Amino acid sequence: MKKRRHAKILEIISTKDVETQEELQALLLKCGYEVTQATISRDIKELRLVKELSDKGKYFYSTGKKSHNDPLRRAGGIFGDSIVSVEYALNIVCIKCFPGMAVAVCTAIDSMEWTGVVGTISGDDTIFVLCKTEDFAKIFTMNMEKILNVKNS
């Protein structure tokens, strides 16, 4: 029973952004698994689940393992090697790059299909990212800074 429940938990978190143990408990109940919060807590520990930040600024349970085909992982190298700074003003993000690198970075950003990004435009060393709202611009900027900090660590 435990192995099936663990498999169901992994299936659930791979298809939904589950933010709390209570939410996971309710989703398991819908699937026929009646468990206590303490059991959920033990399952999370045994499965070594972690909380990750979504592009919407909320934390959700994850295995913490990224696919090697993950566009974010592939783009991390080009971002860290090319970007000088990232700032936003209202709903526009300005990314400064080393000369000649903006087109490559912009192409990587476009391939990632970021939530809230309307479009991008690049020159030789500057990229403008048009976001739907200022909140999306802030989240985009924070995510880019997170990628850059991980790369530079």
Side-chain angles (χ1 to χ4, degrees):
M1 185 70 161
K2 182 177 180 179
K3 285 186 180 190
R4 286 194 310 232
R5 185 177 67 246
H6 281 191
K8 182 54 78 175
I9 289 170
L10 293 172
E11 178 187 327
I12 289 170
I13 67 166
S14 71
T15 58
K16 298 178 190 303
D17 287 350
V18 179
E19 297 178 34
T20 65
Q21 291 183 9
E22 292 78 17
E23 184 180 354
L24 182 57
Q25 185 179 18
L27 291 167
L28 283 170
L29 186 58
K30 285 183 183 178
C31 297
Y33 295 90
E34 189 172 340
V35 293
T36 65
Q37 184 275 328
T39 299
I40 297 284
S41 183
R42 279 191 299 275
D43 288 345
I44 288 170
K45 186 174 182 179
E46 289 173 14
L47 290 169
R48 296 185 176 159
L49 300 182
V50 296
K51 283 212 167 181
E52 288 190 19
L53 183 64
S54 74
D55 57 356
K56 297 174 185 170
K58 296 189 177 193
Y59 286 93
F60 64 96
Y61 284 105
S62 164
T63 60
K65 298 174 185 169
K66 298 276 186 191
S67 163
H68 290 332
N69 294 326
D70 180 16
L72 183 63
R73 179 180 221 117
R74 288 185 312 209
I78 188 79
F79 290 165
D81 294 338
S82 306
I83 295 175
V84 176
S85 66
V86 181
E87 294 183 76
Y88 76 96
L90 299 176
N91 66 322
I92 299 174
V93 179
C94 180
I95 303 172
K96 294 287 192 175
C97 300
F98 291 110
M101 298 305 298
V103 173
V105 172
C106 192
T107 301
I109 290 169
D110 288 341
S111 73
M112 295 169 72
E113 300 178 10
W114 293 77
T115 301
V117 172
V118 176
T120 59
I121 188 166
S122 73
D124 183 60
D125 64 355
T126 304
I127 301 167
F128 287 119
V129 180
L130 178 64
C131 297
K132 290 180 181 178
T133 66
E134 184 174 355
D135 286 338
F136 280 121
K138 181 179 181 181
I139 291 167
F140 179 90
T141 301
M142 288 180 351
N143 285 332
M144 289 299 291
E145 288 170 346
K146 182 178 172 187
I147 292 167
L148 294 172
N149 287 336
V150 169
K151 175 67 177 168
N152 294 330
S153 297

